[in-house]
Amino acid sequence: MQGEIDAAPRAVGLCPDRLGRIDGWMERLVSDGKLAGLSVMIARAGKTAYFRTHGRADIAREKPFAPGTIARIYSMTKPLTSVAVMMLYEEGRFQLDDPITRFLPDFADMRVLTGGNRVKFDSEPARRAITIRDLLTHTAGLTYGFMEATLVDGLYRQNGVDFGEAQTDSLATVVERLARQPLLAQPGTEWNYSVATDVLGHLVAVVSGQDFADFMRERIIRPLGMIDTDFFVPPEKIERFAANYSLFRERSLKLYDDCVGSRFASPPVVASGGGGLVSTAGDYMRFCRFLLGRGELDGVRLLGRKTVALMLANHLDGDLAAMGQPRFSETAYTGIGFGLGFSVMLDPARAQIVGTPGEAAWGGLASTAFWVDPAEDLAVVLLAQLIPSSALPIRRELRVLTYAALVD
């Protein structure tokens, strides 16, 4: 199915025949039973030149994956939360190197795990306070409980540090619980994918004095015209909400989260800044265009161009391979850096994938992804609903197909 486009591919330097390869790729993924459905949207020079959908959003109900299908974007929420933080930064509310204890005193006197077990673990004092920049760059020493790779991950699960399923606790309560756990590493020393952006959501609420979800809606989502983006799907839109599937060891699609009865079908108690939003391809493309517009979209400016440039710069000492542990994330490690809220391409040759230095990108747990390439004035949004995102290499495959279509 074709969605609405603004420009003929050749008018923006894209080869229509080569873009057609994406059609065949999408069809194969669906016909081979690897994905229920998916959509791809590509824009260049501010114009949508490619928008296709294939397969079904809901297999049982035989609903097609359509241009207006609403999907769980999970960690693609993180860039929007990071923008919220930087909007407050521009208002002079804080500096990036400010300790978060200025606003979140529960994180005072943090300790770093050195050994032991869940019953009795050893720790040492953190050598310095966690800063706002540490949270934006995932270098705060935090982690994710679902990783099941370290003792700290286990402590998160044991002690209820869960921003995704904790629907009976407030955001503030879960953050306070998190602050009682040891850190995985000394602040600023390692890159570890983590709940840091959920903490930033709470920080936004504390600094602004406004509920985090309301801040996101009123200051970012509505001004950018993202009409189908929110922390839940209202009843009048549930027909457009996709089901979510899994592809684990069985290597066959199984229903993971039905659209009816999903936790995303009602307003959450915890609005997760790290993974709580649902959106459409068209909505998320508006966010991408905002980034390519250096903080402005359709006459609405949320950030200054220098702030966006700072967000798109690499803030690590080298790439993720130099600072990160070989654990789960939504990107490769070698040749990839990290800015303020998303990954940044440093060296396509080292990353072993076609691309451009300076690209910003991220993905979500259900195999969604986006990237923006300022040098090529290019933006791409991929939506699917398949857990885990590591099940298929569709992000890398789409990158190759997309860049192969650039002819001007």
Side-chain angles (χ1 to χ4, degrees):
M1 182 183 298
Q2 178 175 309
E4 185 176 347
I5 62 173
D6 302 322
R10 288 199 183 278
V12 292
L14 292 164
C15 173
D17 292 338
R18 286 174 169 257
L19 284 176
R21 297 173 180 174
I22 300 176
D23 289 2
W25 169 76
M26 296 171 78
E27 290 170 358
R28 287 192 299 274
L29 286 168
V30 172
S31 63
D32 290 347
K34 294 179 178 179
L35 290 175
L38 73 163
S39 68
V40 173
M41 192 174 195
I42 301 173
R44 197 174 190 212
K47 303 289 186 181
T48 301
Y50 181 93
F51 190 13
R52 297 284 195 280
T53 67
H54 282 281
R56 293 175 178 174
D58 187 324
I59 295 173
R61 297 176 182 88
E62 298 186 346
K63 291 193 305 187
F65 209 106
T69 291
I70 298 172
R72 305 156 190 77
I73 61 171
Y74 288 113
S75 287
M76 281 168 60
T77 305
K78 289 180 170 68
L80 279 84
T81 302
S82 300
V83 165
V85 172
M86 298 308 289
M87 291 172 71
L88 294 172
Y89 166 73
E90 284 196 334
E91 293 175 5
R93 304 292 191 98
F94 49 75
Q95 293 299 303
L96 297 181
D97 57 358
D98 280 351
I100 63 173
T101 50
R102 178 181 167 192
F103 305 102
L104 308 178
D106 290 319
F107 285 90
D109 304 318
M110 294 298 291
R111 299 188 67 84
V112 180
L113 185 82
T114 58
N117 54 54
R118 293 187 197 179
V119 177
K120 187 179 186 303
F121 57 82
D122 301 319
S123 64
E124 64 182 12
R127 290 193 287 270
R128 67 163 175 80
I130 298 169
T131 67
I132 295 172
R133 177 183 174 276
D134 291 334
L135 292 178
L136 285 162
T137 58
H138 292 281
T139 57
L142 305 176
T143 183
Y144 264 122
F146 69 80
M147 291 187 184
E148 302 185 7
T150 73
L151 176 56
V152 180
D153 304 343
L155 289 171
Y156 280 24
R157 295 192 301 276
Q158 176 178 304
N159 296 310
V161 179
D162 189 337
F163 294 90
E165 301 296 337
Q167 297 301 300
T168 60
D169 296 314
S170 69
L171 178 58
T173 298
V174 182
V175 171
E176 290 168 5
R177 194 176 296 147
L178 167 66
R180 296 196 291 269
Q181 313 309 314
L183 298 176
L184 186 63
Q186 289 287 344
T189 63
E190 291 185 6
W191 188 91
N192 289 288
Y193 196 37
S194 71
V195 298
T197 318
D198 286 291
V199 179
L200 287 173
H202 182 49
L203 180 78
V204 167
V206 172
V207 174
S208 69
Q210 186 177 15
D211 177 80
F212 170 61
D214 289 341
F215 184 100
M216 293 284 278
R217 293 182 187 111
E218 295 174 16
R219 299 286 302 273
I220 299 175
I221 293 170
R222 290 173 189 162
L224 292 182
M226 300 172 71
I227 59 175
D228 290 319
T229 301
D230 207 327
F231 288 95
F232 73 104
V233 182
E236 66 272 17
K237 296 181 181 181
I238 204 72
E239 179 63 26
R240 292 195 283 130
F241 189 33
N244 199 7
Y245 298 89
S246 64
L247 188 66
F248 287 92
R249 295 180 181 87
E250 302 90 346
R251 309 308 295 173
S252 61
L253 291 174
K254 295 185 181 299
L255 183 66
Y256 181 85
D257 182 37
D258 196 2
C259 48
V260 177
S262 168
R263 70 178 179 86
F264 289 96
S266 59
V269 175
V270 175
S272 169
L277 287 176
V278 297
S279 191
T280 63
D283 270 15
Y284 210 88
M285 181 57 76
R286 291 190 64 78
F287 179 71
C288 292
R289 288 176 55 204
F290 153 77
L291 292 175
L292 289 177
R294 300 189 295 178
E296 182 178 357
L297 176 65
D298 295 341
V300 175
R301 179 168 291 281
L302 302 185
L303 290 175
R305 65 178 181 85
K306 295 294 286 186
T307 301
V308 175
L310 181 65
M311 295 181 74
L312 297 179
N314 180 36
H315 287 253
L316 303 183
D317 294 329
D319 61 8
L320 293 176
M323 286 195 70
Q325 301 300 311
R327 304 165 69 202
F328 172 82
S329 82
E330 297 292 352
T331 184
Y333 281 70
T334 304
I336 306 294
F338 205 83
L340 302 180
F342 23 65
S343 63
V344 179
M345 173 68 78
L346 300 179
D347 186 342
R350 292 197 67 228
Q352 299 185 53
I353 191 70
V354 64
T356 310
E359 295 169 17
W362 206 242
L365 180 63
S367 301
T368 59
F370 86 97
W371 79 88
V372 294
D373 184 336
E376 296 287 354
D377 201 3
L378 175 76
V380 180
V381 175
L382 164 67
L383 292 188
Q385 294 290 264
L386 180 75
I387 285 180
S389 57
S390 58
L392 300 171
I394 57 175
R395 295 168 179 169
R396 293 178 70 83
E397 291 170 354
L398 180 59
R399 291 178 63 85
V400 175
L401 290 162
T402 300
Y403 278 113
L406 278 177
V407 292
D408 184 15

